[in-house]
Coordinates of all heavy atoms in Angstrom, one line a residue:
I1289 N 12.4 -0.7 -0.9 CA 10.9 -0.9 -0.9 C 10.3 -0.2 -2.1 O 9.6 0.8 -2.0 CB 10.2 -0.4 0.4 CG1 11.0 -1.0 1.6 CG2 8.8 -0.9 0.4 CD1 10.4 -0.9 3.0
N1344 N 6.7 15.5 -1.1 CA 8.0 14.9 -0.9 C 7.9 13.4 -0.5 O 9.0 12.8 -0.3 CB 8.7 15.6 0.4 CG 8.6 17.1 0.1 OD1 9.3 17.6 -0.7 ND2 7.7 17.7 0.9
S1345 N 6.8 12.9 -0.2 CA 6.7 11.5 0.3 C 5.3 11.0 -0.1 O 4.4 11.7 -0.5 CB 6.8 11.5 1.8 OG 5.7 12.1 2.4
G1346 N 5.1 9.7 0.1 CA 3.9 9.0 -0.2 C 2.8 9.5 0.8 O 1.7 9.8 0.3
A1347 N 3.0 9.4 2.0 CA 1.9 9.8 3.0 C 1.4 11.2 2.7 O 0.2 11.5 2.8 CB 2.5 9.7 4.4
E1348 N 2.3 12.1 2.4 CA 1.8 13.5 2.1 C 1.0 13.5 0.8 O 0.0 14.3 0.7 CB 3.0 14.3 1.8 CG 3.7 15.0 2.9 CD 4.9 15.7 2.4 OE1 6.0 15.1 2.2 OE2 4.8 16.9 2.1
W1350 N -0.8 11.0 -0.3 CA -2.1 10.4 0.0 C -3.0 11.3 0.7 O -4.2 11.5 0.5 CB -1.8 9.1 0.9 CG -3.1 8.4 1.3 CD1 -3.9 7.6 0.5 CD2 -3.9 8.7 2.5 NE1 -5.0 7.2 1.1 CE2 -5.0 7.9 2.3 CE3 -3.7 9.5 3.6 CZ2 -6.0 7.9 3.4 CZ3 -4.7 9.4 4.6 CH2 -5.8 8.6 4.5
F1379 N -2.5 0.1 3.6 CA -1.5 0.9 4.1 C -1.3 2.2 3.3 O -1.2 2.1 2.1 CB -0.1 0.2 4.2 CG 1.0 1.1 4.8 CD1 1.2 1.1 6.1 CD2 1.8 1.8 4.0 CE1 2.2 1.9 6.7 CE2 2.9 2.6 4.5 CZ 3.0 2.6 5.9
H1380 N -1.4 3.4 4.0 CA -1.3 4.6 3.2 C -0.3 5.6 3.8 O -0.3 6.8 3.4 CB -2.7 5.3 3.2 CG -3.8 4.3 2.7 ND1 -3.8 3.9 1.3 CD2 -4.8 3.7 3.2 CE1 -4.8 3.1 1.2 NE2 -5.4 2.9 2.3
G1381 N 0.5 5.1 4.8 CA 1.6 6.0 5.3 C 1.4 6.1 6.8 O 0.6 5.5 7.5
R1382 N 2.3 7.0 7.4 CA 2.4 7.0 8.8 C 2.0 8.4 9.4 O 2.2 8.6 10.6 CB 3.9 6.8 9.2 CG 4.4 5.5 8.8 CD 3.8 4.3 9.6 NE 4.6 3.1 9.5 CZ 4.8 2.3 10.6 NH1 4.3 2.5 11.7 NH2 5.5 1.2 10.3
E1431 N -5.6 0.2 -2.6 CA -4.4 0.0 -3.3 C -4.7 -1.2 -4.3 O -5.2 -2.2 -3.8 CB -3.3 -0.6 -2.3 CG -2.8 0.3 -1.2 CD -2.2 -0.4 -0.1 OE1 -1.1 -0.9 -0.3 OE2 -2.9 -0.6 0.9
I1433 N -2.8 -3.2 -5.7 CA -2.1 -4.3 -5.1 C -1.7 -3.8 -3.7 O -0.9 -2.9 -3.6 CB -0.9 -4.8 -5.9 CG1 -1.4 -5.2 -7.3 CG2 -0.3 -6.0 -5.2 CD1 -0.2 -5.7 -8.2
G1435 N 0.6 -3.6 -0.7 CA 2.0 -3.8 -0.5 C 2.3 -4.2 0.9 O 2.5 -5.5 1.1
E1436 N 2.3 -3.3 1.8 CA 2.7 -3.7 3.2 C 1.7 -4.7 3.8 O 2.1 -5.5 4.6 CB 2.5 -2.4 4.1 CG 3.3 -1.1 3.6 CD 4.8 -1.4 3.6 OE1 5.3 -1.9 4.5 OE2 5.4 -1.0 2.6
D1464 N -4.5 4.3 -4.3 CA -3.1 4.5 -3.8 C -2.2 3.6 -4.6 O -2.1 2.4 -4.3 CB -3.1 4.2 -2.3 CG -1.7 4.4 -1.7 OD1 -0.7 4.5 -2.4 OD2 -1.7 4.5 -0.4
E1465 N -1.4 4.2 -5.5 CA -0.5 3.4 -6.4 C 1.0 3.8 -6.0 O 1.9 3.7 -6.8 CB -0.7 3.7 -7.8 CG -2.0 3.1 -8.3 CD -1.9 2.3 -9.6 OE1 -0.7 2.0 -10.0 OE2 -2.9 2.0 -10.2
I1466 N 1.1 4.2 -4.7 CA 2.5 4.6 -4.2 C 3.5 3.5 -4.4 O 4.6 3.7 -4.8 CB 2.4 5.1 -2.8 CG1 1.6 6.4 -2.7 CG2 3.7 5.1 -2.1 CD1 1.3 6.9 -1.4
Q1467 N 3.1 2.2 -4.2 CA 3.9 1.1 -4.3 C 3.8 0.4 -5.7 O 4.7 0.0 -6.3 CB 3.8 0.1 -3.1 CG 4.8 -0.9 -3.0 CD 4.9 -1.6 -1.6 OE1 5.3 -2.7 -1.5 NE2 4.5 -1.0 -0.6
A1492 N 4.4 7.8 -5.4 CA 5.6 8.2 -4.7 C 6.6 7.2 -5.1 O 7.0 7.0 -6.3 CB 5.4 8.3 -3.2
K1493 N 7.2 6.5 -4.1 CA 8.2 5.4 -4.2 C 9.0 5.5 -5.6 O 9.9 6.2 -5.7 CB 7.6 4.1 -3.9 CG 7.2 4.0 -2.4 CD 7.0 2.6 -2.0 CE 7.0 2.5 -0.4 NZ 5.7 2.6 0.1
R1612 N 8.6 -10.0 0.5 CA 8.4 -9.2 -0.7 C 9.6 -9.2 -1.6 O 10.7 -9.0 -1.2 CB 8.1 -7.7 -0.3 CG 6.6 -7.4 -0.3 CD 6.4 -5.9 0.0 NE 6.9 -5.5 1.3 CZ 6.7 -4.3 1.8 NH1 6.2 -3.4 1.0 NH2 7.1 -4.0 3.0
Ligands
PLP3146 C1 5.0 3.4 1.2 C2 3.5 3.6 1.0 C3 2.9 4.8 1.5 C4 3.7 5.8 2.4 O1 4.7 6.4 1.7 P1 5.8 7.2 2.5 O2 6.7 7.8 1.5 O3 6.5 6.2 3.4 O4 5.1 8.2 3.3 C5 1.6 4.9 1.3 N1 0.9 4.0 0.6 C6 1.5 2.9 0.1 C7 0.6 1.9 -0.7 C8 2.8 2.7 0.3 O5 3.3 1.5 -0.2

Side-chain angles (χ1 to χ4, degrees):
I1289 314 192
N1344 311 288
S1345 68
E1348 275 175 275
W1350 180 83
F1379 181 83
H1380 305 294
R1382 299 290 198 143
E1431 296 158 78
I1433 302 178
E1436 307 300 312
D1464 181 342
E1465 292 229 11
I1466 287 172
Q1467 192 162 153
K1493 295 201 164 91
R1612 263 184 292 184

